[in-house]
Amino acid sequence: MGTGASRNTDGDGSNGDDGKEGILDHAGGQFYVSLKMVNIKLKGDLIPHVYGSVPLVGSWDSSKALAMGRESASMWELSFVVPPNHETLDFKFLLKPKYGNGPCIVEEGPNRLLTGGALQGDSRSALFRLDSDEVLEYRVFIKADRVSPFDLAASWRAYQENLEPSTVRGIPDVSINSVQQTGAENGSSASLELDIEHYVVPAPSTSANSGLVYAANMTETPRSLSRAGVLSNDDSSGSVSHSGISVDRPAPIKDMEVSVPDPSKVYSSSGMVESKSVGTFSPLQKQDSHRGLFVDRGVGSPRLVKSASASTFNIDLKLDTETKNSMPAAAGAVAAAAVADQMLGPKEHRHLAIVLVGLPARGKTFTAAKLTRYLRWLGHDTKHFNVGKYRRLKHGVNQSADFFRADNPEGMEARNEVAALAMEDMISWMHEGGQVGIFDATNSSRKRRNMLMKMAEGNCKIIFLETICNDRDIIERNIRLKIQQSPDYAEEPDFEAGLQDFKNRLANYEKVYEPVDEGSYIKMIDMVSGHGGQIQVNNISGYLPGRIVFFLVNTHLTPRPILLTRHGESRDNVRGRIGGDTILSDAGEIYAKKLANFVEKRLKSERAASIWTSTLQRTILTASPIAGFPKIQWRALDEINAGVCDGMTYEEIKKNMPEEYEARKKDKLRYRYPRGESYLDVIQRLEPVIIELERQRAPVVVISHQAVLRALYAYFADRPLKEIPHIETPLHTIIEIQMGVTGVQEKRYKLMD
């Protein structure tokens, strides 16, 4: 970061500061303000925040309050730099829920005033009165020191070089430029203002921001129940997309136990013989045995079943070639494995139903949504069918816990009816060409599961996916999220009444819950806690089921940001040439410095974060100014291979290779450059990157190329494959993907034009 005293030059050559005195030169320096709050008995998920007047926030809007960071188990801290010529810094503390949109609790008493670096009035503790008339008391420490520009610059350099607190600051998060400066955008040594929101730009309106909608409402619209004017009432919750499990801190990665029950007890149908794998092993460890390949490569043991006759085989194959969308829109090994499964397996196994099983508030809907997104991105036609959505549409949202009692025959009949309707819709969709259906409901009794298996006979293969959680804290937190987010309680104004009703509903399910021990199944046991877990698989075989297991082994819900950005402008960008491996232009070098400032500020407290680049020098050079984080090069992140067109402009391709130009224009998704790649090829080679991004528990900055980032972004935003070649990924823009318990949310920062 610069010290703020340097002059910046606009693109037209004019002086960017208009001759005004820099803020650091006024009155000999700036004020470094440190706010600390201490409370040994912290309350739930309430996070201390600060809000107030310019220059701290600039608004008394509690939604824009600045979160305080945890310095220790009982202390929260926020520090910032303000110009010494501010008249009065007017602020207060408040508590905000970590999850959901619950009300804020503002500290009692008058505003706190800081004038000329001196606190006005008596120092006092911060008192917060909760709804239960309980009072929380935080000890408050406020300190303001005048710091010279030389000390600030020296402190920041020391932190950059040593990544350790300096004697001037005491904590390593100094920000030099606290107000905007004219011309800072285009200056050769420009740095970020204190408020990085200055750079926020709207995301494309076509992006699927699933983090803003309850996950069940993103599922397949019920065909059998749809009628005009009905769905709008059911789908208007506007809640955050999640019914899953909450994890609020990173944890060390432990070995995952993957086990299969005794083969002698395995459910079998039609006398078919399955090969099986048994063992306990890490999700990433290499093994020579077949079971090692099953986990490491995501491919299961093939189902080797002969057709009854050659004529039957030929008929089935003919049907496949005539069925719309019978093949996934994927490439290479993906399509090859799908062909093998279709040719070697019975006809009904060309369609797969993943049937969720589990008690309420165990993360079924979130897991279903995540798996749907992954399979769609791979090119498999996949849809999420949520039975709760059918129930709300047919029977309304105001059903009390009594509706879910096992000894309520009317309720049982109604719930089985909507489950059957959802299953019928899913099977109808499969007959029209759909490949994988995710059937999302509790399905907590053998009777219900037997009904579904009977309906699936001759239509699709069923795999049960059971989610089990034994952590009472996680379950309690999940229940509260459910009350805040589920449409079932959108019309319940009393949170406590809704909470009690849901707990009664949960008790009704617990009384009759029967764990899965029949058929093909995957059990996820305490997988989302962030502390390891266990996966059990039974009677699982085939390419796609194996890939699903591999994905589930590596996924978790630890909140963390993923930052996607293209490299700075390269010399080939300036010349309009595709591919190549040139260095950065002057503008690209400026962006590299701005990106370094952004990353160091945005991830200042995330020392476990990492920087991923391709092996091409324009991404490596863009990442080089970023200090303090490990850098990892991925060949999989290299730009799409343009083959014989590498180094050409599009005009040259149009002139010299008109047929290739027109072929690419007609279908950019499937078009493959001569001796190069297509977008589908890029997606295939990026799958290990996606798996590793899912597995990471710390933030990741990905510096790559346009086609690659389009494909990665499409995964997180759940965009259709056909849209990938047209997704907007401009230069000098950061796309921040926030992953965690509230689904996937997006924010964009444009650092340069």
Side-chain angles (χ1 to χ4, degrees):
M1 278 193 167
T3 64
S6 61
R7 293 180 179 268
N8 299 303
T9 304
D10 293 327
D12 61 0
S14 62
N15 194 346
D17 61 13
D18 279 346
K20 294 181 181 179
E21 188 177 16
I23 59 171
L24 288 177
D25 297 325
H26 182 87
Q30 290 187 329
F31 283 118
Y32 163 60
V33 181
S34 173
L35 308 178
K36 297 191 179 189
M37 295 178 64
V38 180
N39 188 334
I40 302 299
K41 299 178 180 179
L42 298 176
K43 186 70 175 180
D45 294 326
L46 295 176
I47 306 299
H49 286 63
V50 180
Y51 76 142
S53 63
V54 175
L56 178 59
V57 176
S59 167
W60 284 96
D61 183 354
S62 61
S63 66
K64 299 178 182 178
L66 302 177
M68 301 184 71
R70 189 188 289 273
E71 186 175 271
S72 65
S74 60
M75 179 177 292
W76 299 81
E77 191 276 342
L78 177 69
S79 61
F80 48 89
V81 175
V82 295
N85 60 342
H86 74 277
E87 295 180 359
T88 300
L89 183 62
D90 195 7
F91 67 96
K92 294 190 81 169
F93 296 102
L94 73 157
L95 302 179
K96 293 179 68 173
K98 185 174 183 180
Y99 302 105
N101 298 315
C104 301
I105 305 171
V106 182
E107 70 163 312
E108 297 189 337
N111 297 345
R112 298 176 184 269
L113 304 178
L114 195 67
T115 303
L119 184 66
Q120 306 300 306
D122 297 331
S123 60
R124 67 180 193 274
S125 297
L127 301 179
F128 301 91
R129 190 173 300 278
L130 307 184
D131 291 339
S132 60
D133 286 336
E134 178 184 359
V135 176
L136 289 180
E137 180 177 357
Y138 287 75
R139 295 177 61 195
V140 174
F141 301 90
I142 302 175
K143 183 180 180 182
D145 293 322
R146 186 185 299 276
V147 183
S148 74
F150 305 103
D151 287 340
L152 279 171
S155 172
W156 182 240
R157 283 197 301 271
Y159 172 56
Q160 284 186 311
E161 294 171 2
N162 305 318
L163 297 178
E164 293 180 354
S166 70
T167 56
V168 175
R169 299 249 323 125
I171 49 175
D173 61 355
V174 68
S175 173
I176 302 300
N177 291 342
S178 61
V179 296
Q180 298 182 19
Q181 297 184 48
T182 306
E185 285 294 313
N186 298 316
S188 60
S189 61
S191 61
L192 289 176
E193 289 79 15
L194 177 65
D195 183 7
I196 61 178
E197 296 298 313
H198 169 70
Y199 293 98
V200 173
V201 294
S205 58
T206 55
S207 66
N209 199 344
S210 59
L212 301 179
V213 182
Y214 183 64
N217 289 338
M218 301 294 289
T219 63
E220 175 68 359
T221 299
R223 302 182 187 185
S224 51
L225 298 177
S226 296
R227 60 183 185 274
V230 174
L231 288 176
S232 60
N233 293 331
D234 186 50
D235 294 348
S236 60
S237 69
S239 301
V240 178
S241 165
H242 185 55
S243 66
I245 308 300
S246 168
V247 181
D248 59 5
R249 60 185 180 279
I253 300 172
K254 297 185 178 180
D255 284 353
M256 199 73 65
E257 184 175 347
V258 182
S259 58
V260 181
D262 186 348
S264 65
K265 300 179 182 179
V266 168
Y267 170 85
S268 174
S269 63
S270 305
M272 296 180 181
V273 178
E274 305 249 358
S275 58
K276 301 178 177 63
S277 55
V278 181
T280 300
F281 45 90
S282 162
L284 295 179
Q285 78 184 86
K286 296 283 186 179
Q287 295 198 11
D288 295 331
S289 64
H290 184 75
R291 65 176 183 268
L293 295 178
F294 175 74
V295 171
D296 288 338
R297 298 179 60 189
V299 293
S301 48
R303 176 188 292 276
L304 301 175
V305 181
K306 296 180 180 179
S307 302
S309 65
S311 60
T312 303
F313 178 83
N314 291 334
I315 292 173
D316 287 348
L317 190 58
K318 182 179 180 181
L319 286 174
D320 279 342
T321 60
E322 295 176 350
T323 301
K324 180 183 178 182
N325 296 330
S326 61
M327 286 294 297
V334 175
V339 169
D341 272 7
Q342 290 190 355
M343 294 178 65
L344 295 174
K347 180 180 177 181
E348 62 267 23
H349 288 183
R350 298 162 200 173
H351 305 296
L352 179 62
I354 304 297
V355 176
L356 275 293
V357 178
L359 290 167
R362 263 60 175 185
K364 296 185 301 299
T365 297
F366 185 81
T367 301
K370 201 175 184 75
L371 186 57
T372 300
R373 190 176 78 231
Y374 171 69
L375 294 175
R376 280 176 179 165
W377 182 78
L378 283 180
H380 304 286
D381 194 359
T382 306
K383 280 190 177 178
H384 179 186
F385 295 80
N386 181 269
V387 175
K389 189 171 184 178
Y390 282 75
R391 168 178 54 77
R392 287 186 287 272
L393 184 60
K394 187 171 180 62
H395 300 287
V397 299
N398 295 318
Q399 300 297 333
S400 69
D402 289 341
F403 181 80
F404 302 91
R405 291 201 338 257
D407 58 355
N408 178 353
E410 293 81 8
M412 286 291 293
E413 181 180 357
R415 288 188 287 133
N416 285 331
E417 178 189 14
V418 293
L421 288 172
M423 191 68 175
E424 288 171 357
D425 276 1
M426 186 172 73
I427 291 172
S428 296
W429 167 75
M430 288 178 172
H431 287 168
E432 296 169 5
Q435 186 184 6
V436 184
I438 312 291
F439 189 85
D440 180 11
T442 55
N443 300 313
S444 55
S445 68
R446 289 189 184 88
K447 185 176 180 180
R448 162 72 72 83
R449 298 194 292 267
N450 287 336
M451 178 190 81
L452 299 177
M453 285 194 289
K454 189 168 184 64
M455 294 179 69
E457 286 181 2
N459 294 302
C460 62
K461 177 180 179 178
I462 278 186
I463 294 178
F464 295 114
L465 174 56
E466 185 175 15
T467 60
I468 299 171
C469 179
N470 299 306
D471 189 319
R472 301 309 303 179
D473 291 337
I474 290 179
I475 295 171
E476 178 67 23
R477 183 177 302 164
N478 221 29
I479 290 173
R480 291 181 174 272
L481 283 172
K482 189 85 170 180
I483 304 305
Q484 295 172 357
Q485 301 165 2
S486 173
D488 283 347
Y489 296 96
E491 299 179 10
E492 173 56 70
D494 188 340
F495 178 86
E496 292 301 325
L499 181 63
Q500 187 57 52
D501 180 82
F502 187 82
K503 288 186 175 180
N504 291 339
R505 181 196 300 191
L506 180 55
N508 290 332
Y509 275 108
E510 288 175 335
K511 291 176 183 177
V512 295
Y513 184 77
E514 297 174 296
V516 175
D517 59 5
E518 72 272 20
S520 300
Y521 63 76
I522 304 166
K523 287 181 183 246
M524 298 177 64
I525 304 172
D526 293 328
M527 285 285 292
V528 293
S529 65
H531 302 283
Q534 185 183 85
I535 277 191
Q536 294 181 357
V537 295
N538 178 67
N539 212 22
I540 297 296
S541 65
Y543 156 76
L544 199 51
R547 203 166 201 133
I548 290 169
V549 171
F550 184 65
F551 176 74
L552 295 174
V553 164
N554 286 285
T555 191
H556 61 90
L557 303 179
T558 306
R560 75 277 191 200
I562 294 173
L563 275 57
L564 308 177
T565 183
R566 291 174 64 184
H567 53 81
E569 181 188 66
S570 70
R571 293 186 178 179
D572 272 347
N573 288 142
V574 175
R575 294 189 287 259
R577 299 193 178 278
I578 63 175
D581 191 17
T582 59
I583 62 174
L584 300 179
S585 67
D586 291 343
E589 291 179 355
I590 293 173
Y591 177 70
K593 296 175 183 178
K594 281 178 168 284
L595 177 64
N597 289 338
F598 183 97
V599 170
E600 289 161 7
K601 186 181 295 296
R602 177 66 183 85
L603 304 181
K604 61 187 177 184
S605 60
E606 302 283 358
R607 303 324 306 171
S610 56
I611 314 298
W612 297 3
T613 72
S614 72
T615 63
L616 301 177
Q617 63 174 336
R618 55 188 181 274
T619 65
I620 297 171
L621 292 172
T622 303
S624 61
I626 303 175
F629 301 99
K631 299 183 178 73
I632 302 169
Q633 295 178 19
W634 285 72
R635 188 171 294 279
L637 291 175
D638 285 2
E639 178 61 298
I640 187 171
N641 184 351
V644 300
C645 299
D646 188 81
M648 300 174 67
T649 67
Y650 288 117
E651 286 299 319
E652 290 171 345
I653 297 174
K654 184 177 181 179
K655 178 181 178 180
N656 301 321
M657 308 171 67
E659 293 182 358
E660 294 296 332
Y661 183 86
E662 290 300 321
R664 178 179 179 273
K665 186 177 179 181
K666 289 179 181 178
D667 189 355
K668 286 183 68 176
L669 177 68
R670 292 171 177 80
Y671 171 78
R672 178 178 288 125
Y673 285 102
R675 298 164 70 178
E677 289 181 302
S678 69
Y679 269 91
L680 291 178
D681 295 325
V682 172
I683 291 170
Q684 183 178 326
R685 66 167 153 97
L686 282 176
E687 191 196 7
V689 178
I690 289 294
I691 294 294
E692 192 60 27
L693 285 173
E694 287 285 358
R695 199 175 70 84
Q696 292 289 313
R697 285 172 166 79
V700 177
V701 180
V702 180
I703 304 174
S704 189
H705 310 266
Q706 181 166 248
V708 172
L709 292 180
R710 282 171 168 168
L712 291 178
Y713 174 80
Y715 168 78
F716 294 112
D718 197 15
R719 296 279 287 272
L721 288 178
K722 63 182 180 181
E723 293 183 11
I724 289 179
H726 310 287
I727 291 174
E728 182 182 358
T729 54
L731 282 170
H732 305 157
T733 300
I734 298 167
I735 303 174
E736 179 176 328
I737 304 294
Q738 186 66 42
M739 299 179 64
V741 296
T742 55
V744 177
Q745 298 183 29
E746 171 189 350
K747 184 180 289 187
R748 292 192 176 208
Y749 303 91
K750 189 171 185 62
L751 302 192
M752 292 173 57
D753 292 327

